[in-house]
Amino acid sequence: RRIAGVLGATVYAVATSADTDPGYPDRLAEELGGAGADRVFLCVDPALAGPPIEASHGHLVRLVAARLRPRLFVFPGAGLAAELGAPLAARLRATWAT
């Protein structure tokens, strides 16, 4: 959020979940907005449950990247970052850092 504020950029939160509880999208959007996201994109589908995350979520991340053309992606946690970030960087011919 701080980097985006300095750059005058928009912070997008992209989340995926297998949780089909009707109240879940609103709760998650509120939480992510409170953490600094300006816009929240959420894909909810029971098929997203279970590993491997790159196979189940990677296509969605690539679609978002193609649509929004972000300058910076930030992934939470080292495991998730490596599993989604490294393949995304390779496909986009971008720099990958941990």
Side-chain angles (χ1 to χ4, degrees), residues 14 32 53 73-84:
V14 179
L32 293 171
I53 198 161
F73 266 94
V74 179
F75 292 98
L80 180 63
E83 197 168 342
L84 284 175

Side-chain angles (χ1 to χ4, degrees), residues 44-69:
V44 176
D45 190 320
L48 294 171
I53 198 161
E54 207 290 317
S56 62
H57 295 60
H59 182 69
L60 174 66
V61 173
R62 289 188 299 277
L63 288 173
V64 169
R67 172 78 177 175
L68 299 177
R69 300 202 178 282

Side-chain angles (χ1 to χ4, degrees), residues 19-27 42 44:
D19 188 342
T20 57
D21 173 34
Y24 177 70
D26 291 333
R27 288 192 309 272
L42 175 61
V44 176

